[in-house]
Amino acid sequence: MKHSDYYGYALFFLALVILPSFLDSRWQAVATTFIIFTIVALSQDVVLGKSGMFNMGQALFFGLGAYTSAICNTKLGMPLLASVPLAIIIPAFFGIILAGPIIHLRGDYLLVVTIGFNIVFVQALQNNLLGLTGGPNGIFGIDTLQIPGVDSGSQAAVYYICLAALVMVLMMLKNLETSKAGRALHYFREDPLAAESIGINTRAYKIFAFALGAGIAGLAGTLYANQYSAVSPEAFDFVQSVLFFSIVIVGGSSVPGIVLGVFVMFVLPEIFRDFATWRYFIFGFAMIFTMILRPCGIWPATYGKVPAYILKGKQHGKK
């Protein structure tokens, strides 16, 4: 990473640190949800962007983390902070279990199966699975994250907790990019047959990507439960999975692209909420034109100074 990139990230996070000072409580809540959705979108990017697998069920793992924390807190009496490891481990475990039998599928087939998993998950929540999920009404009265020395009851404190989690996720994903596992994910995304020919266990790394993405989404689920003190099935349905999938597609598989994608897909509709009749109509056309003009997203991943989609085109003899 160039020095200019570090300066850019430093200015971006400085802006996020001082942002709550200029917002009222409503927009502080919107900014907090923006950070939570950015974490989920980063988890989606691990599977879709970095690994090239069409997963449209990421809201399943997001919801699984949220419900894990909610059940541990309201049913078992655990502090919400103590439930965070479980909210990461359980979705990661289910990511491994669900990915095992479907990981050989590609493209549309994998996408359809992950949609099915998401629908089954929501139906289980609505049917009050094992008497724990609260049915259609969900679970209410979730405690806040109690961190020593932090007044976690204020909206600003919740915002900064989520921002700290985002920084940790970004640091972990940056280390992943330069690791053996990160290089392997990139190799089989670009050419699975070539990756296998040089000895990469593509099945194992695909399952790893699913598990990692699920664990990160589970962490975001705990932050969501902390933000709203309640969870319900409709917050994690297929529409939410479409949102996270679209964020990566529209924004591009890069950190700036993810941030822009969340802003376009979540914050802009909030800004234009007063134009509810037309906002999705205009928004849909904006997405269509974005995909026509920038097929790899507003800010695609780069290798050196060359955008990924240009590099891939050159490899296939395109100009």
Side-chain angles (χ1 to χ4, degrees):
M1 184 183 292
K2 298 179 294 184
H3 290 295
S4 59
D5 294 331
Y6 284 114
Y7 295 147
Y9 281 119
L11 289 174
F12 172 68
F13 281 108
L14 178 61
L16 289 181
V17 168
I18 65 176
L19 181 62
S21 303
F22 302 95
L23 302 176
D24 58 22
S25 58
R26 174 180 178 266
W27 283 104
Q28 283 182 359
V30 171
T32 303
T33 306
F34 164 80
I35 292 176
I36 294 171
F37 281 4
T38 300
I39 295 174
V40 184
L42 289 169
S43 76
Q44 174 76 74
D45 183 56
V46 172
V47 182
L48 176 61
K50 290 181 171 55
S51 307
M53 296 181 287
F54 281 14
N55 168 32
M56 199 177 279
Q58 199 66 8
L60 183 163
F61 305 113
F62 180 41
L64 191 57
Y67 268 88
T68 297
S69 288
I71 291 170
C72 288
N73 180 246
T74 61
K75 308 293 185 181
L76 304 180
M78 291 176 58
L80 198 63
L81 184 61
S83 72
V84 172
L86 288 176
I88 297 172
I89 293 171
I90 290 177
F93 174 75
F94 273 89
I96 295 171
I97 296 299
L98 297 180
I102 67 169
I103 208 66
H104 64 284
L105 300 175
R106 296 181 181 178
D108 298 343
Y109 297 99
L110 181 60
L111 185 140
V112 170
V113 172
T114 54
I115 290 173
F117 282 145
N118 202 153
I119 293 173
V120 170
F121 173 69
V122 172
Q123 288 298 312
L125 296 180
Q126 291 178 339
N127 292 330
N128 195 18
L129 181 66
L130 301 177
L132 296 174
T133 63
N137 294 326
I139 300 175
F140 297 87
I142 303 170
D143 294 336
T144 57
L145 284 166
Q146 299 296 325
I147 299 177
V150 177
D151 179 17
S152 55
S154 67
Q155 181 61 57
V158 174
Y159 172 88
Y160 287 119
I161 290 171
C162 294
L163 182 59
L166 174 61
V167 171
M168 289 188 291
V169 169
L170 286 173
M171 291 175 62
M172 181 187 66
L173 293 180
K174 180 59 183 175
N175 290 331
L176 174 66
E177 286 183 7
T178 57
S179 68
K180 177 182 177 181
R183 293 193 298 271
L185 294 179
H186 166 66
Y187 293 155
F188 78 69
R189 179 195 65 194
E190 295 300 320
D191 195 328
L193 292 178
E196 291 178 353
S197 69
I198 61 174
I200 294 176
N201 187 340
T202 57
R203 176 180 173 82
Y205 279 111
K206 286 179 179 180
I207 294 176
F208 165 76
F210 257 91
L212 179 61
I216 296 172
L219 171 63
T222 296
L223 299 175
Y224 182 90
N226 178 59
Q227 160 75 349
Y228 292 100
S229 298
V231 292
S232 58
E234 65 268 17
F236 312 106
D237 61 10
F238 169 63
V239 176
Q240 286 296 99
S241 285
V242 173
L243 172 66
F244 301 134
F245 188 90
S246 300
I247 285 170
V248 179
I249 296 298
V250 171
S253 180
S254 66
V255 174
I258 296 296
V259 172
L260 285 173
V262 178
F263 182 82
V264 170
M265 301 294 292
F266 171 69
V267 178
L268 283 184
E270 288 293 327
I271 294 174
F272 294 104
R273 181 172 289 275
D274 293 337
F275 304 94
T277 304
W278 291 98
R279 63 181 178 137
Y280 285 117
F281 181 80
I282 299 171
F283 186 57
F285 270 101
M287 286 183 59
I288 292 172
F289 284 117
T290 299
M291 289 297 93
I292 293 173
L293 299 175
R294 301 287 291 179
C296 285
I298 299 172
W299 198 319
T302 58
Y303 306 107
K305 296 183 179 180
V306 184
Y309 66 94
I310 295 177
L311 180 63
K312 189 172 183 179
K314 288 181 178 180
Q315 289 175 343
H316 289 81
K318 300 178 183 179
K319 296 183 180 180

